[in-house]
Amino acid sequence: GDGGSGRGGRTTIEALLASADAMREAGYPQAAESATEGAGAGCGAPRLLFALDCEMVEVEGGASALARVSVVSESEQVLLDELVTPELPITDYRTRFSGLSAQSFAGGAAALSQQEARSAVMRLLGEDGSCVLIGHSLENDLKALGLSHSRCVDTALLFAHPLGGGRKRK
């Protein structure tokens, strides 16, 4: 084989996909424990790859909650970038990491419900499961959305952590 390289020595997306075992070990939601595997209109050729990122805030009781969801196409088109209203009151915006603050939600800023955010992402991913999600520690984003997806390229699994300890730090 060519070690996952396609023509010209370039690495293929297929070679970068996380294995089922790696995803299970990293704590990815499995189809039976999430709301659904992607479902919707289908993943057309122009939108084969999606970058997904979710921002979390801390809510009453100390749990993390989804507060923003963003999806970008492989052609760098922003397909979704919406605030999400957590079901419980926000106690910490985690601004240093999330970029969100009380001002983000002030002034009647429109925000999706958790269910609307999940549905919006599901519509983009399609129901055939052939789209590839790309992101960093995607298991957290998928858990926050209540989704599972089997075709993921996760930079936290691919690259060594700069503080050592191999790949993804636990």
Side-chain angles (χ1 to χ4, degrees):
D2 61 5
S5 294
R7 291 184 209 172
R10 294 178 60 189
T11 301
T12 65
I13 288 295
E14 297 300 322
L16 297 174
L17 290 173
S19 70
D21 288 341
M23 291 173 72
R24 217 176 354 269
E25 186 177 312
Y28 271 73
Q30 303 300 303
E33 59 189 54
S34 67
T36 182
E37 177 93 10
C43 183
R47 292 189 287 167
L48 178 61
L49 304 174
F50 295 100
L52 171 68
D53 188 40
C54 292
E55 299 303 334
M56 314 301 176
V57 294
E58 184 177 304
V59 295
E60 201 170 79
S64 289
L66 180 63
R68 184 176 194 163
V69 60
S70 303
V71 178
V72 178
S73 73
E74 64 185 289
S75 62
E76 300 178 20
Q77 178 185 5
V78 176
L79 302 174
L80 180 66
D81 187 24
E82 297 289 340
L83 294 173
V84 180
T85 304
E87 294 173 4
L88 295 173
I90 298 171
T91 57
D92 184 350
Y93 288 91
R94 299 177 178 163
T95 304
R96 179 174 161 218
F97 304 104
S98 71
L100 300 173
S101 68
Q103 291 177 335
S104 303
F105 292 87
L112 302 177
S113 70
Q114 302 283 312
Q115 181 57 46
E116 290 169 331
R118 179 179 18 260
S119 295
V121 172
M122 287 169 47
R123 276 192 302 277
L124 291 171
L125 293 183
E127 53 191 50
D128 65 1
S130 66
C131 297
V132 174
L133 281 181
I134 300 173
H136 185 81
S137 293
L138 282 170
E139 77 280 4
N140 297 317
D141 298 340
L142 291 170
K143 285 177 186 176
L145 288 163
L147 296 175
S148 67
H149 195 73
S150 59
R151 295 175 49 83
C152 297
V153 175
D154 190 332
T155 59
L157 298 175
L158 287 174
F159 301 105
H161 193 281
L163 297 178
R167 289 185 167 79
K168 185 165 182 140
R169 296 169 58 95
K170 297 197 177 202

